[in-house]
Every structure is written in structure tokens, then in C-alpha cells.
Amino acid sequence: YVVRRLYPGDCFGEISLWMDIKRTATVTSVDYCQLYVLTRTDLEDILHSFPEMRPVVAAQAITPCLAAVDMAPALAGLDLSDLERIARRMAFTSVDFSDGETICRAGEVPKGAYVIRKGHLVVDLFDGKLEKVNSDLRVIGFTELLSTKPCLETIRTKGAVVAYKLMDSDLQELFASKQNKATLTAQRKVARSDYAKSLATHRALKWSVLSSDLLELKWTEPELTRKKTIMGSLPFFQNVHRSSSKDKHTLAGTRAFMNKVRQNSTNFLHNVSRFSPTAGGNAGKSLGNTPGNPSEEGQGGR
């Protein structure tokens, strides 16, 4: 479907020009078009001569990431001017991570939020039970930072990673005036609401992983005790009428037991789209902005 149309003077591709990020939409011409093209190589050559412009370019790329609700739901509702102020502050705080470094750890309140410019991340859930290399994850930690809640997952680097960082002290300074403090307070409420939704999803995911383990019946006694403890912390699990301890160790008893839990659970996993398309419109010809394809060296912003 058509998200929006572009007209003379508009541009597209500027985010992927600066960041290693997949395209979020396909841009197709509807008439004869003439375009000016800036490649990533040309941009780097220019910035080599004018290094003071790097934060300016970075801020222009960070702002759309913060404005995308699917990427930064905790910032939903903030005015564009506020998002630009946050982006400008982050553009001056570039952080380099080496391979295997932990950016945030499950159970700990994060020290900062990040926008990833280059590199890949590994999302680690439930003590390594679930692990996935995520190349699409570009915005990290804003929900936890604003809500002052612990991280729900451990995120590590896979290879070298370059990111822009924002601390809570930066937010306090950026929103220091009386009016801005009210804005920050309201935004913390938005973040807490988003955190509650994420927590429900993680509980459902934890249930899915642990229920699969239960049916495997390959535990030692310490593992059995540990898994019972974890599952007992889930609200919907606490309401289940448990079978006898002896019955749980039989396959038939376990399946009956798990069916009772399923009947009482109300949390389900949801597929969450991480990116919302933003694009518009030589006639019928794709201009290289195909979703899922990262910006190539010779395909810059247009």
C-alpha cells in the first residue's frame, strides 16, 4: 500500500546512508524523475574534510529512528522538536563495542539507551535458552531507561558495534525546565505502559519455553526444582490446580497437568513489526529502496 508520496525537494534513503539498517519501504516512480544521488563513499569523503559536520549528519539519521513508534514505542507522543534535541545529544556520544560485549543484561536497570549505527546484536533470553542474532534491532533501552525498570533480555554484540548513547542524566538536563519536566513525567508513564506489555509477552514466551521442557522429562532433581520455582512465579501458573507430585513424573500425568496450565493461561505471543514503512514516490521503476535489503555502498540517499 502507498504510505506517502514524494515531491520535488523531498529526499529518501538518508537513514541507510548513515546507518547499517535495512530498507523499510519500496520507493517507485510514478512519472519521469530526475534525482540527485549521494553515495556513502562520497559522504565519508566529504566528512573527512569537514569532521565537525559528523554530529549534524548523525542527528539527522537518529531522529527518524526515535520517531518510529515500532522502533521506540516509549517515545511515542513526543514532539518532533523534543526528538531532535535527544538525537542531537546522542550524536555527540558515540560508543564502540567489541565482539561479545554486553550492552544490557536481563534483570538489571540499564545505564543508558542506544541507537545502533553499525553491527549486529545477539538477543539472549532465559539464561541462553533462546538466542537470536538480530540485525533489525536498532533502538535499545528507551523503555527501560524511562520507566527505570530492569531489562527483560540480555543483548550482546556480535562483532564490532558502533552506537549512540543517551543517559538518564541527559534526559534530566534536556528536560530541565518546569514545562519540560512535565513532558518527561508524562513520557515515563508511556514507557511504563509499554514495559507492562513487553513483560506480558516475555511471560508468555517463558511459559512456552518451560512447557516444552516439561514435556521432555529429561531433568535432574536440581533442574526440576529450579524450573518449578521459575514457573511458580508466573501469575497464571499459580492459579493452576496441581496434580500430585508422583503424577507429574509420568508422561500422561505431565501432559494432563500442562493442559490445565494452558487452559488457565491468558498471555499469548504477538508478532510485533519493528519498523513502520515510510516512503513515497522513473515510472514503474524501483529506485532501490526494497524492504529488507540494506543500503549498498553505491546506493546512498536520494
Side-chain angles (χ1 to χ4, degrees):
Y1 62 94
V2 177
V3 179
R4 69 185 181 96
R5 294 180 179 272
L6 297 175
Y7 300 95
D10 291 333
C11 65
F12 61 90
E14 68 278 9
I15 302 177
S16 294
L17 183 64
W18 186 249
M19 298 184 175
D20 289 341
I21 189 172
K22 290 183 179 181
R23 300 293 196 181
T24 60
T26 297
V27 181
T28 306
S29 63
V30 295
D31 201 351
Y32 176 76
C33 297
Q34 285 185 320
L35 297 88
Y36 295 103
V37 180
L38 178 66
T39 66
R40 188 176 293 183
T41 301
D42 290 338
L43 179 62
E44 288 293 344
D45 289 342
I46 295 170
L47 292 177
H48 182 72
S49 300
F50 301 93
E52 68 276 6
M53 293 301 294
R54 282 186 174 274
V56 178
V57 175
Q60 292 296 317
I62 294 171
T63 300
C65 294
L66 302 182
V69 176
D70 290 339
M71 296 177 70
L75 299 179
L78 269 182
D79 290 340
L80 181 60
S81 59
D82 292 327
L83 295 175
E84 289 174 341
R85 288 196 298 140
I86 294 174
R88 286 195 295 269
R89 177 61 63 92
M90 297 185 73
F92 283 95
T93 312
S94 179
V95 184
D96 295 327
F97 294 96
S98 57
D99 182 32
E101 282 196 66
T102 299
I103 294 181
C104 61
R105 190 179 302 277
E108 297 181 1
V109 178
K111 297 180 180 179
Y114 302 87
V115 173
I116 306 301
R117 183 193 175 195
K118 294 181 179 180
H120 303 290
L121 304 172
V122 175
V123 180
D124 187 340
L125 293 170
F126 316 137
D127 299 325
K129 178 62 68 174
L130 288 181
E131 184 178 285
K132 179 182 179 182
V133 178
N134 196 325
S135 302
D136 298 335
L137 191 58
R138 299 287 99 179
V139 181
I140 301 171
F142 277 93
T143 296
E144 292 82 358
L145 183 68
L146 283 165
S147 64
T148 64
K149 298 288 186 179
C151 297
L152 296 173
E153 55 199 17
T154 297
I155 299 177
R156 294 179 285 104
T157 59
K158 185 175 179 61
V161 169
V162 179
Y164 297 104
K165 185 177 182 179
L166 182 76
M167 305 286 286
D168 189 65
S169 57
D170 293 323
L171 287 172
Q172 298 288 352
E173 185 176 338
L174 288 170
F175 294 86
S177 69
K178 185 176 181 179
Q179 181 179 355
N180 286 333
K181 282 183 178 179
T183 300
L184 182 59
T185 299
Q187 209 58 44
R188 292 192 188 278
K189 292 181 179 179
V190 173
R192 284 193 288 270
S193 176
D194 180 63
Y195 185 87
K197 295 177 183 178
S198 299
L199 183 60
T201 301
H202 275 257
R203 282 173 172 169
L205 184 58
K206 182 183 288 187
W207 152 243
S208 178
V209 172
L210 293 175
S211 63
S212 298
D213 282 355
L214 274 169
L215 294 178
E216 287 179 5
L217 295 173
K218 295 179 181 178
W219 300 341
T220 62
E221 191 60 33
E223 289 175 334
L224 180 62
T225 301
R226 174 176 170 273
K227 293 178 188 297
K228 286 179 181 178
T229 302
I230 294 175
M231 294 190 73
S233 68
L234 305 183
F236 58 78
F237 189 87
Q238 296 170 355
N239 297 327
V240 176
H241 176 68
R242 291 171 170 78
S243 304
S244 67
S245 177
K246 183 178 179 180
D247 288 340
K248 291 181 195 176
H249 290 279
T250 68
L251 183 58
T254 300
R255 290 191 182 279
F257 171 64
M258 300 315 297
N259 285 333
K260 290 182 180 180
V261 178
R262 290 191 180 97
Q263 292 168 6
N264 283 272
S265 64
T266 57
N267 294 314
F268 298 90
L269 289 175
H270 300 279
N271 292 322
V272 180
S273 173
R274 300 199 66 86
F275 297 99
S276 57
T278 54
N282 291 328
K285 180 180 178 181
S286 174
L287 301 179
N289 228 28
T290 304
N293 293 333
S295 176
E296 297 177 0
E297 187 68 23
Q299 299 289 332
R302 295 169 172 80

